[in-house]
Amino acid sequence: MKSHQRVIAAALTAAICVSLAACGDGGRAAGSGGEQTLSWVSFQPGSHPEVKRVKENFWGAVEQKTELSFEWRGGPDTMSPSDIGLAVQRGTVDAAMIYVGAYASVVPGAGAWTLTDYTPKEERNNGAVEFFDEQHQQHGLKYIARVQPQKENFFFTWLRGKRITSKEDFRSTVIGSAAGARAAVEGWGAPLESVAVPDNYTALERGVVDGLAGQPLEGAIANGWHELADYVIDEPYYQSSVVLIMNQDSWNGLSAEQQRAVTESVSAAEMQTYESRQQDLAEARTEIKDAGVEFYSLPPDLAKWYVDTAYSAAWAEQEEIAPDVAPKLRDLLSK
């Protein structure tokens, strides 16, 4: 089955290549400026609120200031998230909205971007964005922006049928996670069940797992977790790992004025999103509570261990995966 899926993904990627070739090579004429259409894909479907946010607040802001236009070519039904990073690197598409874990094999250390202690503006001022972008450029990519920055941390742990109130409880609670929270789950000592996000609902419904780690409030609603979960540990950790990236040649094909407009527009959109998400999060929390899910806090000592372990385990994983990059990112992203 996996082999069959890879063949289908490769065929779809090839089809997009043919489509792009038929439309010309977009913005890849070095520094040409002028009217250009750049293609992009997303790991979420077009109906998802975050895809709409990118279209309107990020690319839309660029379109208002330049002659650039951004054409969305599809979501996960068009291209598997695990193929998106390579597709952008190879120029199959010009840009993408993707979570860093999906292309960490292309840019070693990219997974650390979720561990930041800073606001997007602070990251742009303290050199973190510059360094992260340099790592992308070494692999044929251009880092553009964060898509979902927010003031409070992003990920939660969702439980069905039982509450966790001690370290010992973790050891007897099977927790499912994709790559984003894998290190945290292992650090807590919980039995880890690797579950892709599309399979999370079924895994929880069928009792394959006792809980799930690594989804934000809005993401849990979109995936229906709030229909099954009984409890949420109200000690959030990490930031969103969803970013915008671009093919380096496509970026080089923009004029200096266009590049400046993109940078200014997306950095402003980052901060606008950062400031405006509080209302969205409050509404999501209310919707989840109305569904009968209980948010609860851990005892102070346990809460500190829980959050600290999530970070220390993730940093240890990144330093093992990308020993040449992770220490520098840890300096830049940690207070």
Side-chain angles (χ1 to χ4, degrees):
M1 179 61 74
K2 290 183 179 179
S3 176
H4 179 63
Q5 290 173 336
R6 284 196 294 269
V7 170
I8 293 174
L12 288 169
T13 301
I16 294 176
C17 287
V18 172
S19 176
L20 288 171
C23 296
D25 59 358
R28 297 193 182 93
S32 58
E35 294 185 8
Q36 298 179 59
T37 298
L38 301 178
S39 60
W40 69 287
V41 295
S42 60
F43 77 98
Q44 292 166 323
S47 59
H48 196 282
E50 294 302 335
V51 177
K52 294 179 179 179
R53 189 196 306 271
V54 169
K55 289 179 180 179
E56 297 171 4
N57 294 2
F58 286 82
W59 298 143
V62 177
E63 289 173 337
Q64 291 179 3
K65 292 186 176 181
T66 69
E67 294 179 292
L68 298 175
S69 59
F70 293 83
E71 181 181 353
W72 184 70
R73 292 294 180 86
D77 56 337
T78 299
M79 184 180 296
S80 168
S82 61
D83 294 329
I84 288 177
L86 281 172
V88 179
Q89 183 189 49
R90 294 169 179 171
T92 305
V93 288
D94 294 303
M97 169 190 169
I98 186 65
Y99 55 95
V100 291
Y103 70 96
S105 61
V106 179
V107 182
W113 205 234
T114 191
L115 304 176
T116 186
D117 290 329
Y118 292 103
T119 70
K121 184 176 181 179
E122 289 170 336
E123 290 171 349
R124 291 185 180 275
N125 290 338
N126 71 7
V129 167
E130 180 181 4
F131 180 74
F132 198 54
D133 183 35
E134 288 173 357
Q135 305 313 306
H136 280 66
Q137 291 185 44
Q138 290 177 14
H139 301 281
L141 298 172
K142 172 72 179 176
Y143 172 75
I144 301 297
R146 288 189 182 275
V147 173
Q148 299 171 293
Q150 60 187 49
K151 293 182 179 180
E152 65 182 56
N153 284 325
F154 194 76
F155 283 171
F156 292 82
T157 299
W158 307 73
L159 302 167
R160 189 180 193 193
K162 61 186 299 185
R163 289 168 54 127
I164 289 176
T165 58
S166 69
K167 293 181 183 180
E168 289 71 26
D169 287 343
F170 278 100
R171 301 188 187 109
S172 61
T173 303
V174 179
I175 298 179
S177 177
R182 178 183 58 218
V185 174
E186 292 178 334
W188 297 326
L192 171 67
E193 184 74 26
S194 294
V195 183
V197 172
D199 300 325
N200 285 162
Y201 185 95
T202 301
L204 192 60
E205 182 181 41
R206 296 181 178 177
V208 176
V209 297
D210 301 311
L212 297 165
Q215 271 284 357
L217 301 181
E218 296 151 303
I221 292 172
N223 289 289
W225 292 12
H226 64 312
E227 299 171 358
L228 300 174
D230 297 306
Y231 307 102
V232 177
I233 299 178
D234 201 4
E235 311 287 351
Y237 49 97
Y238 302 169
Q239 274 286 333
S240 170
S241 64
V242 180
V243 298
L244 297 179
I245 57 174
M246 187 178 288
N247 174 272
Q248 183 63 46
D249 289 338
S250 298
W251 175 261
N252 292 341
L254 305 181
S255 68
E257 182 179 353
Q258 288 172 329
Q259 291 177 352
R260 183 168 56 253
V262 170
T263 300
E264 291 175 353
S265 297
V266 299
S267 60
E270 276 183 331
M271 287 309 299
Q272 179 187 33
T273 302
Y274 177 80
E275 295 295 340
S276 66
R277 279 182 62 78
Q278 299 311 300
Q279 181 62 34
D280 295 337
L281 295 173
E283 292 173 357
R285 185 176 284 261
T286 298
E287 182 174 347
I288 292 166
K289 288 181 177 179
D290 288 346
V293 181
E294 178 187 342
F295 286 81
Y296 75 98
S297 298
L298 299 174
D301 288 348
L302 184 63
K304 185 178 188 306
W305 169 84
Y306 170 81
V307 174
D308 288 351
T309 300
Y311 281 88
S312 61
W315 277 119
E317 180 183 62
Q318 290 303 315
E319 288 169 1
E320 181 177 350
I321 293 170
D324 296 332
V325 177
K328 177 66 173 179
L329 279 170
R330 188 168 191 171
D331 288 341
L332 291 168
L333 297 176
S334 303
K335 289 185 177 179

